[in-house]
Amino acid sequence: MEKVKSFEAFKNLQLLLKEETFKEDVPRLRTCTGTACMAMGAESVIHKVEDEAAHSGKHVDIVKTGCQGFCQQGPVMKAEPYGYYYKQVRAADAHDIVVTTFSGGFPVRNLLYRDDILSEPKEIMETLPFYKKQMRIALHNNGLIDPRNINHYIAVGGYAALVKALESMTPDQVLEEVDKANLRGRGGAGFPAGKKWKHTKGAKSKIKLVIANGDEGDPGAFMDRSIMEGDPHGLIEGMLLCAYAIDAQYGFVYVRHEYPLAVVHLKLAIKQAEEMGVLGNNILGSNFSFTLDVREGAGAFVCGESTALVASMEGERGFPRPRPPRLSDIGGGAWGYPSNLNNIETFACVPHIIVKGADWFKSIGTENSPGTKVFALTGKVKNTGLVEVPMGITLREIIFEIGGGILDGKKFKAVQTGGPSGGCLPEEYLDLSVDFDSLSKVGSMMGSGGMVVMDEETCVVDVAKFFLSFTKEESCGKCPPCRLGTYQMLEILKKITSGKGEPSDLDFLDEICHKVQRGSLCGLGQSAPNPIVSTLKYFREEYEEHVHDKYCRAKVCSGLGTYTIEHSECFLCGLCKQACAFGAVKETRISYFIDQDMCTKCKACYMACPIGAVKVGKGTAKAARI
């Protein structure tokens, strides 16, 4: 690849690539090759389509894109120029795609999305409920380009923001534009990126660093991974603009080693950018130089915290460090150099702000939270996957319109935002505006973008225990409030969910939560009690049922409730008796019943009954005998 040595030469190259790369009249299949679709067989589909196209003498341009978001329906792909959007494609469908679509111009109807079996199929991607309300900025190029091809990125406008900045803007103007846009950090805290950049720029040091935090540790979250895998050049361009604005010379992308595809794509993108001349010394013939490298972490959740991340980068154990100094101060950043650290998604938004302006960015979202946010929508919802929505959208719109509502027609119970350190919000907040401030006011947080939906069969006490078990295991152990507090909170939750809770446990649990929040050194400890605090606030009645009535209304916790068989419903299949390992289910000539003295409340009979005749109710075994 020949290095581009001037802005003019780059613009000429971009014009050429725009004309040649994605010609409108060429049959094209944009196939998702994100991790989920690859796991479901996207590679075999691609090979089969290539074979079928070659066999029929039809040229089909196949673009292997990053994650297109609708992971639940994968492998997904878009057939152009028709715009047909296909889901759950298998290798066996390749013949129909080539013959029906690319030769005949018609959609393969069985591959189109339907809301249900009686509804009309939807042909175009933008008409699907999952995509209708989305607005893509950070994920703009996912689903559009091959992330391993720098020409694709340039053909869709990539590195135009860098050229604009270097050619016509001073570093201060770039910084002011980002500050004016009020771009808030997408990693969780929501601190304005422009303010952070200004502070780092003001540090009296000849050497400054730019660090991208790709240590995405929330269970089920993959927003940053999808950007690193699907649009690595977008991240690089965002970091370049930051480096130019704050006069930094070196940069690092810190990414966990569990993301091997992201590491491969990042390293390839860096190599291509250096060869092209948009990264390295004297970028595009200018005086601006910036060197970028990848640092792989070992996968500790605590390394998402800025000071622990810096320690890990330096080769030390990922322990948080007390502040001040902050990372942007001399002595606070990596190897003591002032460092500007932002989340991956934050950097991915920067090129769009420079190209389209701060006013455009502020026209999206809310006044204090402009722009969009990417969420990993999971849990008991029909449509799961990666969604990018404008700030200010309501939880109801995300869950019931984009997500399609609750699975199996069950009732909504709660939604947890912000990952394992976030809060659980009840139905009354479904119409809450999704932005940094609104979520914080009701006891939750934006976090990095995890969103878990729960239905009526979810026990919130059990959910709190699940997230506490995660944060307890991921606590680095440096400060006692976090190390001992998370252990104590988890033990109390285990006690409550096993039917051994005492009335004093709830107040004790609440007291520990607040002490851990106040006394912990870093954000992990300070936010670890959030799932308990929020569920105690909004679902205290369920905690009290566990403690006072020894009852779990969601029928999730073993060891709680009184088990009986409803004779009017039982059709005497005997499966409950077969499932009981303790001989508690007794058989008479006309019925089955549960011996309360022998019942261990293990739920085996409840789970085995095919018609729900085994009931779990409040009350004691003595009451059940009566």
Side-chain angles (χ1 to χ4, degrees), residues 135-165:
M135 182 176 187
R136 295 195 156 204
I137 296 177
L139 297 176
H140 180 263
N141 291 326
N142 280 48
L144 196 61
I145 64 170
D146 184 341
R148 293 156 295 190
N149 191 332
I150 190 172
N151 288 342
H152 281 198
Y153 182 68
I154 294 173
V156 297
Y159 291 115
L162 177 67
V163 171
K164 178 183 177 182

Side-chain angles (χ1 to χ4, degrees), residues 21-76:
T21 306
F22 295 122
K23 291 181 178 177
E24 290 185 0
D25 54 345
V26 174
R28 183 173 296 114
L29 197 63
R30 296 188 195 267
T31 308
C32 178
T33 56
T35 299
C37 283
M38 289 297 279
M40 289 186 280
E43 192 71 38
S44 62
V45 175
I46 291 169
H47 291 321
K48 193 66 178 171
V49 170
E50 288 173 337
D51 291 344
E52 290 289 342
H55 181 73
S56 62
K58 187 81 180 173
H59 172 71
V60 178
D61 181 19
I62 295 180
V63 181
K64 301 176 182 179
T65 74
C67 179
Q68 297 183 10
F70 209 171
C71 307
Q72 188 186 28
Q73 298 288 336
V76 296

Side-chain angles (χ1 to χ4, degrees), residues 70 81 161 166 184 242 426 508 522 535 540 546 573 582:
F70 209 171
L166 296 181
R184 300 178 66 173
C242 176
F508 188 38
C522 78
T535 50
R540 191 177 181 91
H546 280 70
C573 67
F582 304 95

